[in-house]
Amino acid sequence: ILQRIVEFEPANIDHSLRLAAFYWSSGKESQAIDNLNRLVSAEPKNEERRLKVAAFYLSQNRLPEAELVLKAGIDANTKSFQLRFALSNLYLNTNRTDQGIALLKECLPLGKSSDPEVLQAKVTLAKVQIQRNEVEQARKLIAEVIKESPKNVEARFIKGNIHMLKGEGADAVSEFR
């Protein structure tokens, strides 16, 4: 029945993903992959499709396939903030930090500075910079986030941690309040 629904509504992303999940859980991975490939090839520049297909692959622990879907999407849609941010997170979560940082830096200029996704990308980059002992760069990014979103709890927490790293205890305490 699900196959017929997908044939009747081929543009419906959720139906196609459900069908792929059914195939996958039934041990028919090749059919699931074919279905996912059809989904992204129908509209190669469609970010939503690519993000959902990549998320599906990630849920199945198929990192190389998720990476390929995102990379192909970036090639097809060179101005895509979301695809770059998703791929940067994949890289950061698989210990490919340099690649993740490069993509984060690439994607920041593609979005509006006040967009929540851009602010989250800056927070993500600041966290990585702190891990790499690039505290001053992280401080600048977090200041930009707080300027755009003064009540951003995560950014305030990071700012407090930066104060602690710099030995600025009183400033850290005021951030944590």
Side-chain angles (χ1 to χ4, degrees), residues 10-24:
N12 188 307
I13 299 167
D14 295 326
H15 292 330
S16 291
L17 289 172
R18 281 188 200 96
L19 181 60
F22 170 75
Y23 283 146
W24 208 282

Side-chain angles (χ1 to χ4, degrees), residues 67-135:
E67 180 180 6
L68 287 173
V69 167
L70 294 171
K71 279 182 168 182
I74 291 168
D75 291 343
N77 191 353
T78 58
K79 303 268 188 224
S80 173
F81 169 87
Q82 290 184 323
L83 293 171
R84 278 182 176 73
F85 187 43
L87 186 56
S88 72
N89 280 313
L90 186 148
Y91 287 151
L92 293 173
N93 290 322
T94 55
N95 296 317
R96 293 185 278 174
T97 307
D98 290 336
Q99 289 173 286
I101 289 171
L103 274 170
L104 281 171
K105 288 180 178 179
E106 274 181 35
C107 77
L108 288 177
L110 298 175
K112 289 176 28 182
S113 63
S114 60
D115 285 348
E117 296 89 4
V118 172
L119 297 176
Q120 187 57 50
K122 287 180 179 183
V123 166
T124 300
L125 181 55
K127 287 178 183 178
V128 174
Q129 288 173 329
I130 290 170
Q131 291 171 352
R132 295 170 69 106
N133 204 28
E134 299 169 357
V135 179

